Amino acid sequence: MTKIFTDTEWEELWVESEQNGAISSQSKGVETIHQGKILNISNIYEYWIKLRNGLSICINEREFIDDLVWVKYSLDEFQFGLSFFLSGKVRIERHGLTNETDESVGRYYLECNCDIKETEWWKAGEKFSRIYLKIEPQEFFQSFSEEELEQIPISLRQALIGDKLQPYYHQGEITQQMWMVLCNILQCPYQGLMKRMYLESKSMELITLHFQQFQEQDIPTVNHSSQQLVEPLMKVNLSQPRGLSLKLESKQI
């Protein structure tokens, strides 16, 4: 049976699941972990850490119990980010911006998500994992010179020059270099300050590799239809991200 939810209903279920203990949340300093089950809907795992002003990273995993259609409204708010898909697939339509687009393993996207309605189609029993870099341009690029800012994609630069933000979506293939960095993130060997510094350096490397693609290609602001996958350079246990070094020091997950 297919279930249909709005983002408001999802948030209400999340709160209810936290209140009855189905979802546990732990925070320590700049790190937060959410894990458990949203009532009769989905198993979830989220690890967030703020790396520096304007940059955070999230390792996200979810698996839905039933097929689900999720309708989201991003009105009067915006979010920039790079999202790298490690396992699973979801189909998304960004109304007025893209047609239905498959987001699946071996792909990544850069987005400016503002004033956009989204419809997402999720399949039951398919584990979906990704690494997401959340970028807040005003803070992240504040130390860059005007000459340097001219080299970044206009989708990010528009947030710095005062123009009205335009929604943006570009999907590309994860390169072998990107796969190596993503594997390093999942296998982070450090804790505390060194972990934060290590993850920041790897996140900056991913952003740099995306900018390199941007400079080498004529990138259109539309989605790509190609479903060619890139094979990982090494096997990573995506079903157990919480078993890696990405955990709170105060309590093993």
Side-chain angles (χ1 to χ4, degrees), residues 6-201:
T6 65
D7 47 0
T8 301
E9 291 170 329
W10 178 269
E11 291 171 4
E12 291 173 350
L13 280 174
W14 183 288
V15 171
E16 183 181 351
S17 299
E18 283 189 312
Q19 291 175 343
N20 67 18
I23 292 179
S24 65
S25 298
Q26 304 171 57
S27 294
K28 182 180 180 181
V30 295
E31 297 177 274
T32 301
I33 288 178
H34 307 287
Q35 66 176 344
K37 178 179 290 187
I38 296 179
L39 300 175
N40 300 317
I41 301 296
S42 173
N43 297 305
I44 63 101
Y45 171 82
E46 286 186 359
Y47 170 85
W48 279 96
I49 180 171
K50 182 175 181 178
L51 303 175
R52 54 175 286 182
N53 287 341
L55 180 63
S56 301
I57 188 172
C58 175
I59 296 178
N60 177 282
E61 183 178 290
R62 61 183 52 170
E63 181 179 349
F64 288 92
I65 298 170
D66 296 303
D67 290 352
L68 183 135
V69 177
W70 189 353
V71 182
K72 297 181 178 180
Y73 298 87
S74 299
L75 303 178
D76 300 321
E77 61 181 61
F78 70 90
Q79 180 169 299
F80 289 93
L82 278 166
S83 188
F84 298 86
F85 309 118
L86 308 180
S87 68
K89 182 175 74 173
V90 57
R91 177 160 292 184
I92 299 181
E93 180 179 359
R94 292 165 174 82
H95 298 269
L97 183 62
T98 70
N99 297 322
E100 293 181 14
T101 304
D102 285 336
E103 298 181 348
S104 57
V105 59
R107 311 289 294 179
Y108 82 98
Y109 69 70
L110 172 69
E111 69 168 353
C112 171
N113 190 6
C114 58
D115 292 336
I116 286 292
K117 174 186 175 182
E118 291 185 5
T119 303
E120 303 179 356
W121 290 268
W122 297 84
K123 289 293 185 182
E126 186 169 12
K127 188 167 292 184
F128 180 86
S129 303
R130 71 171 180 168
I131 290 177
Y132 182 74
L133 304 182
K134 181 181 178 181
I135 302 170
E136 299 171 76
Q138 292 284 359
E139 295 184 33
F140 183 79
F141 293 108
Q142 64 180 353
S143 63
F144 287 62
S145 68
E146 290 186 11
E147 182 178 354
E148 290 171 327
L149 293 176
E150 289 178 357
Q151 302 174 46
I152 69 175
I154 186 62
S155 57
L156 288 171
R157 195 160 70 244
Q158 64 175 332
L160 304 172
I161 58 181
D163 287 358
K164 177 177 173 56
L165 292 176
Q166 298 296 322
Y168 174 94
Y169 179 85
H170 164 72
Q171 189 178 130
E173 295 181 3
I174 299 176
T175 65
Q176 290 187 345
Q177 288 176 297
M178 289 176 175
W179 270 120
M180 290 181 65
V181 178
L182 293 167
C183 290
N184 288 336
I185 288 173
L186 290 174
Q187 296 178 324
C188 174
Y190 303 109
Q191 292 295 323
L193 175 62
M194 288 190 294
K195 176 169 70 171
R196 189 178 181 187
M197 295 172 65
Y198 181 85
L199 293 178
E200 179 183 347
S201 70

Side-chain angles (χ1 to χ4, degrees), residues 107-108 151 153 168 170-175 178 209-221 224:
R107 311 289 294 179
Y108 82 98
Q151 302 174 46
Y168 174 94
H170 164 72
Q171 189 178 130
E173 295 181 3
I174 299 176
T175 65
M178 289 176 175
L209 290 171
H210 168 69
F211 285 178
Q212 181 180 8
Q213 283 191 355
F214 170 78
Q215 291 181 335
E216 292 176 350
Q217 306 175 37
D218 180 20
I219 297 180
T221 57
H224 288 229

Side-chain angles (χ1 to χ4, degrees), residues 221-250:
T221 57
V222 295
N223 60 293
H224 288 229
S225 58
S226 172
Q227 296 303 307
Q228 181 181 357
L229 300 180
V230 179
E231 291 294 330
L233 298 182
M234 57 193 302
K235 293 182 179 179
V236 178
N237 187 3
L238 296 174
S239 65
Q240 293 282 343
R242 60 191 67 79
L244 301 176
S245 299
L246 297 171
K247 57 182 180 292
L248 296 179
E249 295 173 59
S250 58

